Amino acid sequence: MIEMRKLTETDFDEAIKLSEYAFQYSVPSEDYERRIDMLKTHEIWGEYEDDALISKLHILHKKINIGDRLFEMGGIAGVATYPEHRRKGSVTRLLKQSLQSMKERGQTISLLHPFDINFYRRFGWELTASLKKYELEKKDLFRYPDGPGRIKRFGKDEGNDVLNSVYEQWFAKFNHMLVRDDNWWNHHVFTDGYNRVVYFNENNEAEGYLCCKAADKLLDVQEMVYLNETARRALWNFIAQHDSMVDKVKIVAPENDSLAYHLQNPRIKQELYPYFMARIVDVEGFLQLYPFENISRPITITVTDSQCPWNNSAYRIGEEGITTGDSSTGLTMDIGTLTALLLNAMPPAVLYETEKIAGSREDLDALAEIITTKSVCFIDFF
């Protein structure tokens, strides 16, 4: 008999064993208690057969930004099933349960890192954030003239407040970024052997940082965050100073990053990597919080959602707020398209021209005028 239930602390050993099997790693004994403490912050749902855990799903309770607003977000992670129980609908049931749980908790949007993008599209998640990955050779490491300020290196678990002050200013330029707390900086932001390198200007104000690691003739830069051109050049010069230590440099950056343009030889290896997916969980709650700008006339959006029946409705966006509208007029789209549209992950015109959105072009243009124009970015992992 199959039974679904929320895991408690007494079930965490089973959850760790399933993760170790499914994701092919082992939790070192010295890290086991820390892993247990981490699981205490997760909402974990599992299916059991004869009281044995056969599949599970974790929900992380976090926040992301859209425009100038913060949204409660449910992060889906740790989805795993033992091989003998796969393709029997277990993950489908867990995902439906997660959507119900997130709605009840007031999490109007959900993010996840997909093992298969098309699989999660069937459940309403849509690709929203990609990363740009660079690979440079030693010969690409030119230096700018020395500028003002200084570079300071912080050790593991050090400098959280300094790094977060830069991160929060930088993240205001984007949609879809994760709000980081002290625990997240300590346990999730490249802590295993990575250096935290901070640029301070001449007034001793932090304006940029790197999370990087040099090993085996490779400099691996997983975060390069800067608030202005002076900080960017200072951080780049720090990278270039590794020319006697490494043969290659790898850098991970947001999709709209322009590093290659600034190189003396821009013909380097670049990869655009589809990274994270998002899905609106509660359309009405999401629209009520969404930062629409300068609404000049009402627009109606009819939403279809095969997994969340509470979202199947028409929503009228007007100066008076969000109300239920007349489904015979306005724009029509599915939940994934609505998510991509409102996060600015895909231009409205492209969604319209590829028939993801139905309705009048005039309504689409009016909607495009009032939604956020910030770029989408996500550089964390769960």
Side-chain angles (χ1 to χ4, degrees), residues 89-107:
S90 186
V91 169
T92 295
R93 292 187 291 271
L94 288 172
L95 286 171
K96 288 184 175 181
Q97 175 60 53
S98 75
L99 291 165
Q100 182 68 48
S101 295
M102 288 186 284
K103 182 178 185 297
E104 292 173 358
R105 195 181 175 95
Q107 294 165 334

Side-chain angles (χ1 to χ4, degrees), residues 62-78:
K62 307 297 292 181
K63 294 180 181 180
I64 64 169
N65 70 322
I66 302 170
D68 60 354
R69 309 271 177 92
L70 295 182
F71 287 69
E72 297 291 337
M73 185 274 292
I76 302 298

Side-chain angles (χ1 to χ4, degrees), residues 161-360:
D161 290 343
V162 174
L163 271 71
N164 200 55
S165 69
V166 178
Y167 173 81
E168 288 193 343
Q169 293 178 73
W170 181 74
F171 116 156
K173 300 190 301 182
F174 300 98
N175 289 324
H176 199 277
M177 296 286 285
L178 190 72
V179 176
R180 293 175 171 179
D181 57 20
D182 212 45
N183 178 69
W184 196 264
W185 278 104
N186 286 339
H187 300 298
H188 296 275
V189 186
F190 306 106
T191 57
D192 185 17
Y194 282 83
N195 292 290
R196 298 172 166 193
V197 178
V198 180
Y199 166 73
F200 291 87
N201 66 19
E202 61 269 39
N203 297 319
N204 205 36
E205 298 164 330
E207 292 186 335
Y209 71 83
L210 298 173
C211 291
C212 60
K213 176 169 66 175
D216 302 321
K217 294 291 185 177
L218 169 69
L219 180 65
D220 180 19
V221 180
Q222 287 292 329
E223 287 191 18
M224 182 175 178
V225 172
Y226 50 86
L227 303 182
N228 51 53
E229 178 63 12
T230 302
R232 187 191 74 80
R233 292 188 179 203
L235 295 173
W236 172 259
N237 280 353
F238 176 83
I239 292 171
Q241 293 282 30
H242 289 76
D243 57 351
S244 65
M245 299 170 53
V246 303
D247 295 326
K248 291 183 182 295
V249 176
K250 292 185 177 181
I251 301 176
V252 178
E255 182 177 355
N256 67 350
D257 185 77
S258 60
L259 171 64
Y261 176 82
H262 303 293
L263 297 177
Q264 294 171 347
N265 174 25
R267 289 177 174 171
I268 60 171
K269 182 177 179 181
Q270 300 182 56
E271 175 190 0
L272 188 62
Y273 177 69
Y275 187 48
F276 251 71
M277 303 181 77
R279 149 211 246 282
I280 296 170
V281 174
D282 177 3
V283 172
E284 184 173 6
F286 185 87
L287 292 178
Q288 287 174 347
L289 185 58
Y290 188 86
F292 291 109
E293 298 181 0
N294 302 317
I295 300 172
S296 60
R297 67 174 182 85
I299 303 166
T300 298
I301 300 175
T302 299
V303 180
T304 60
D305 189 337
S306 63
Q307 304 299 322
C308 300
W310 56 82
N311 287 331
N312 288 313
S313 186
Y315 303 90
R316 186 178 185 271
I317 303 164
E319 292 181 276
E320 72 282 5
I322 307 301
T323 57
T324 301
D326 179 0
S327 61
S328 65
T329 62
L331 303 169
T332 301
M333 65 196 77
D334 65 23
I335 191 68
T337 301
L338 180 68
T339 303
L341 175 73
L342 294 182
L343 289 176
N344 195 33
M346 186 60 63
V350 172
L351 294 171
Y352 187 80
E353 290 161 6
T354 54
E355 301 180 353
K356 296 288 188 180
I357 298 175
S360 76

